[in-house]
Amino acid sequence: MKRPTIADVARRAGVSKGAVSYALNGQPGVSAATRQRILAIAEEIGFNPNSAARALSGASARAVGLALSRPARILGIEPFFMELISGVEAELSSRGYALTLQVVADPEAEVAVYRRWWGERRVDGVFVCDLRADDRRVPMLEELDLPAVVIGGPGHTGALPHVWSDDAAAVTETLEYLIALGHRRIARVGGLPGLLHTELRTSAFQRVCERPEVRWSLSVPSDYSGEDGARVTRRLLSAPERPTAIMYDNDVMAIAGLAVAQEMGLAVPGELSIVAWDDSPLCQLVHPALTALSRDIPAYGGHAARHLLALIRGEQVGAYQDEGAHLTPRGSTAPPRAS
Amino acid sequence: MKRPTIADVARRAGVSKGAVSYALNGQPGVSAATRQRILAIAEEIGFNPNSAARALSGASARAVGLALSRPARILGIEPFFMELISGVEAELSSRGYALTLQVVADPEAEVAVYRRWWGERRVDGVFVCDLRADDRRVPMLEELDLPAVVIGGPGHTGALPHVWSDDAAAVTETLEYLIALGHRRIARVGGLPGLLHTELRTSAFQRVCERPEVRWSLSVPSDYSGEDGARVTRRLLSAPERPTAIMYDNDVMAIAGLAVAQEMGLAVPGELSIVAWDDSPLCQLVHPALTALSRDIPAYGGHAARHLLALIRGEQVGAYQDEGAHLTPRGSTAPPRAS
DNA sequence: CTGAAAGCGCTTACAG
DNA sequence: CTGAAAGCGCTTACAG
């Protein structure tokens, strides 16, 4: 089947290609009646402008890019990215933008991908996820004039606009709740050490744990996997002085931690309280249901997409603070049983 | 920063643009020495060919498309798609192809997306997931000359090449195992009714359950969510004649089912055996660990990508049968306790 | 083996 | 309000 071109539309409408272009793009330079006729014909013969020709003529590529550098295994485990992508997509597709996705091996490869996309003019802008301290992508994207929105922060975003939520506040809220319940020995199983949001959560954890009520605290990094969550939990619970509460940086590790506690014969929440970061349906399926930090991840992605599109249109875009995670208490947290 | 073009490379190398193009694309028409020099200069000034110009000149778009029509919530829950995408990506990016992703509301919208992509020449080919009986996408893609590989089947794929695995065999293997354990009352919580693979699994289930050993059987559809899995399980276990074994079409529902059984005071596996389809790490984190149908989903995606790229190169591509899911027995299955 | 030139399908100043 | 034309940056026959 032959693809119709703008020339086909012009011929049938009896106008020039320029007129068709103006009509299709809502530009002035064509009468309302002609515009109507042109649109009807385009619709009728199923015309869609060739995206390459459009992009080459200086118009936009109508695509934005997202490169992710987590191992496939982790991407599958965590609902986070798929939910984020769903939210991004909902916003993009309503504006006729496509999302170009690339999964790469490491942050270095991500830099190369962004640089290549820029050279290829393949995308009009990009998202930056999984920000790290001194992230090489930030100065590179500032240097190139490739519109970019960082999903994350605050801090280390350079001059790039960013959409962020206050992870530190969520950690503080959680710890204050645990302290109020009477917990005095609190541990945390954190995420990947290099990531900025991990560091922000870690600092917040340490700051709150300096309060006099907290007698013992420990924050341990992990790779986000259930295996790692289980391993760290086993170690924490086997120590002579074990925590009465553990917070986990994702839900998979929290569920793994719950399983370990049960396998070791510890009552949850009686002998161990558990809090999960990110509230997937699974948190409500286990017994006891997990107290979790909930947030609307698709909405987060939607905000990021909206900001990137505004940036591409040339609007001034600054930082946008999203709502942030809030604590949803369930059966896995309670006052520690006197022991 | 100004993007370097092919003219910049040509000028610095003292050759024509044509020569640069031949050198870059590994075409004959340029001496080895000149090719070397050109490549070195391109590398040095960070030249990447403008993808729009390339696509417009009849070369490929160097991108393939995937449209998904599941609600955001479900996409996040199931590791399947993210793992599939990871596998697809690994193969594509090693060949310099990008993946264009679009999440849409329903199958109708998917048809429109493919048609638009074709008109825009935005992609060189597409994947088709979540095949349905009498899927409108199949005749449409056959009519357009847009290379397409169906991920799924067998059957209802028309003349399109497809990558599939034998779900029916996996159902049969599972049921024969349960029957051998001594189960005589077996239920299944299936996936979305419209999907072909759901229907294939359902037929296989019903076929095996016609065997004389099976005294009672029931297959119930669901929407893949944990809530639905829990609801159906509760209903199954509350009936006067309840099953001694249930198999679930995904792991989230199986975990939900396990939780329901425990909440109802039923011993797993003593009073109820549970089998999950798709073996995520979570299956090993719950207690007892779930017997599951395991498969290598990233590899599945990789095969599909390899076939699509071959099709785009103009090679003959037929059906490819992937390895398929195999049963991994764990603690959630055992002979039914005499009751 | 190399160069000059046409052409892909749009968009957008520039004249009428 | 409309038309003719240049140009985006490549690829690829076509001459030399």
Side-chain angles (χ1 to χ4, degrees):
Chain A
M1 202 166 163
K2 186 83 181 65
R3 289 178 182 78
T5 71
I6 198 170
D8 298 319
V9 180
R11 196 175 326 111
R12 291 181 65 139
V15 299
S16 70
K17 295 190 296 173
V20 176
S21 177
Y22 290 138
L24 257 46
N25 295 310
Q27 305 279 30
V30 56
S31 71
T34 310
R35 186 186 304 272
Q36 275 308 317
R37 196 155 46 83
I38 291 172
L39 290 177
I41 290 170
E43 170 78 43
E44 183 196 336
I45 67 174
F47 169 70
N48 287 293
N50 179 314
S51 61
R54 211 172 200 181
L56 190 56
S57 302
S60 72
R62 296 236 130 205
V64 299
L66 170 61
L68 292 177
S69 67
R70 299 241 191 139
R73 200 170 47 95
I74 302 292
L75 281 175
I77 289 173
E78 289 203 301
F80 179 82
F81 282 112
M82 202 72 221
E83 289 190 26
L84 187 76
I85 289 170
S86 300
V88 163
E89 259 297 319
E91 192 62 32
L92 290 181
S93 55
S94 73
R95 317 287 180 100
Y97 269 75
L99 177 67
T100 295
L101 186 72
Q102 182 130 10
V103 179
V104 298
D106 51 61
E108 292 305 292
E110 239 180 284
V111 172
V113 166
Y114 285 142
R115 194 177 285 281
R116 181 165 53 76
W117 280 346
W118 171 79
E120 294 179 341
R121 266 189 188 280
R122 189 178 277 280
V123 297
D124 298 326
V126 295
F127 298 105
V128 178
C129 287
D130 279 346
L131 201 63
R132 293 158 187 273
D134 303 316
D135 201 301
R136 280 191 48 202
R137 294 171 295 173
V138 173
M140 184 204 66
L141 290 167
E142 287 176 336
E143 185 193 358
L144 270 35
D145 62 348
L146 182 61
V149 166
V150 175
I151 301 178
H156 299 269
T157 56
L160 299 181
H162 50 288
V163 174
W164 65 289
S165 67
D166 194 344
D167 279 17
V171 169
T172 303
E173 179 188 358
T174 302
L175 289 175
E176 287 178 342
Y177 166 71
L178 291 172
I179 292 170
L181 284 178
H183 292 278
R184 298 294 174 261
R185 296 194 304 275
I186 304 175
R188 165 171 173 268
V189 182
L192 285 170
L195 302 177
L196 181 64
H197 69 262
T198 301
E199 304 302 337
L200 291 171
R201 294 178 189 182
T202 303
S203 321
F205 180 85
Q206 287 166 344
R207 205 174 318 118
V208 177
C209 288
E210 279 167 7
R211 298 190 189 171
E213 305 96 302
V214 182
R215 284 212 299 274
W216 178 96
S217 72
L218 185 62
S219 183
V220 187
S222 79
D223 69 0
Y224 284 121
S225 72
E227 293 78 24
D228 224 28
R231 194 175 50 72
V232 173
T233 305
R234 211 168 275 120
R235 191 146 51 79
L236 286 170
L237 298 182
S238 308
E241 189 173 38
R242 64 165 188 254
T244 61
I246 306 180
M247 68 180 295
Y248 294 84
D249 256 18
N250 72 10
D251 51 0
V252 175
M253 294 196 294
I255 291 168
L258 174 64
V260 166
Q262 291 172 339
E263 131 205 335
M264 292 177 71
L266 285 176
V268 175
E271 292 169 288
L272 180 71
S273 283
I274 288 178
V275 180
W277 197 302
D278 276 342
D279 188 12
S280 74
L282 287 168
C283 292
Q284 299 176 59
L285 293 176
V286 291
H287 276 283
L290 295 185
T291 295
L293 285 159
S294 320
R295 51 180 170 165
D296 189 342
I297 300 168
Y300 194 35
H303 291 142
R306 200 145 41 229
H307 280 246
L308 183 54
L309 292 179
L311 191 63
I312 289 169
R313 284 194 302 270
E315 297 173 16
Q316 277 294 340
V317 174
Y320 174 84
Q321 181 172 0
D322 206 273
E323 210 174 298
H326 60 271
L327 197 66
T328 303
R330 298 206 187 88
S332 68
T333 43
R337 191 187 296 164
S339 59
Chain B
M1 203 169 164
K2 186 85 180 63
R3 288 177 183 79
T5 71
I6 199 171
D8 297 320
V9 180
R11 196 176 324 112
R12 292 180 64 138
V15 298
S16 71
K17 295 192 297 174
V20 176
S21 177
Y22 291 138
L24 256 46
N25 295 310
Q27 306 278 31
V30 55
S31 70
T34 309
R35 187 186 305 271
Q36 275 309 318
R37 196 155 45 85
I38 289 172
L39 289 177
I41 289 170
E43 169 77 43
E44 183 196 335
I45 68 174
F47 169 71
N48 287 293
N50 179 315
S51 62
R54 211 171 200 181
L56 190 56
S57 303
S60 71
R62 297 237 128 205
V64 298
L66 171 60
L68 292 176
S69 67
R70 300 241 192 139
R73 200 171 46 95
I74 302 293
L75 281 174
I77 290 172
E78 290 202 302
F80 180 82
F81 282 112
M82 201 73 222
E83 289 190 27
L84 187 76
I85 289 170
S86 300
V88 164
E89 258 299 320
E91 191 62 32
L92 290 181
S93 56
S94 72
R95 316 288 180 101
Y97 268 76
L99 177 67
T100 295
L101 186 72
Q102 183 130 11
V103 179
V104 298
D106 51 62
E108 292 306 292
E110 239 180 284
V111 172
V113 166
Y114 285 141
R115 194 177 284 282
R116 181 166 54 75
W117 279 347
W118 171 79
E120 294 179 341
R121 267 188 187 278
R122 190 178 276 281
V123 297
D124 298 326
V126 296
F127 297 104
V128 178
C129 288
D130 279 346
L131 201 63
R132 292 158 188 272
D134 304 315
D135 200 300
R136 280 191 48 203
R137 293 171 294 172
V138 172
M140 184 202 67
L141 290 166
E142 286 177 336
E143 185 194 357
L144 271 34
D145 62 346
L146 182 60
V149 166
V150 175
I151 300 179
H156 298 270
T157 57
L160 299 180
H162 49 288
V163 174
W164 66 289
S165 67
D166 194 345
D167 279 17
V171 169
T172 303
E173 179 187 359
T174 303
L175 290 175
E176 288 178 342
Y177 166 71
L178 291 173
I179 292 170
L181 285 178
H183 291 278
R184 299 294 174 259
R185 297 194 303 276
I186 305 175
R188 166 171 172 267
V189 182
L192 285 170
L195 302 177
L196 182 64
H197 69 263
T198 300
E199 305 302 337
L200 291 171
R201 294 178 188 182
T202 302
S203 321
F205 180 84
Q206 286 166 344
R207 206 174 316 119
V208 177
C209 288
E210 279 166 8
R211 298 191 189 171
E213 304 97 301
V214 182
R215 285 211 298 274
W216 177 97
S217 73
L218 184 62
S219 184
V220 188
S222 78
D223 69 359
Y224 284 121
S225 72
E227 293 79 23
D228 224 27
R231 196 175 50 72
V232 173
T233 305
R234 212 169 274 121
R235 192 145 51 78
L236 286 170
L237 298 181
S238 307
E241 190 175 39
R242 63 165 189 254
T244 61
I246 306 180
M247 68 180 295
Y248 294 84
D249 256 18
N250 73 9
D251 51 0
V252 175
M253 295 195 295
I255 292 168
L258 173 65
V260 166
Q262 291 174 337
E263 129 204 336
M264 292 176 70
L266 286 175
V268 176
E271 294 169 286
L272 180 71
S273 283
I274 288 177
V275 180
W277 197 302
D278 276 343
D279 188 12
S280 75
L282 287 169
C283 292
Q284 299 175 58
L285 293 177
V286 292
H287 276 283
L290 296 185
T291 295
L293 284 159
S294 319
R295 51 179 171 165
D296 189 342
I297 299 168
Y300 194 35
H303 291 142
R306 201 145 40 229
H307 281 246
L308 183 54
L309 293 179
L311 191 63
I312 289 170
R313 283 193 304 267
E315 296 173 17
Q316 277 294 341
V317 173
Y320 175 83
Q321 182 173 358
D322 206 274
E323 210 174 297
H326 61 271
L327 196 67
T328 304
R330 298 206 185 89
S332 69
T333 42
R337 191 187 295 163
S339 57

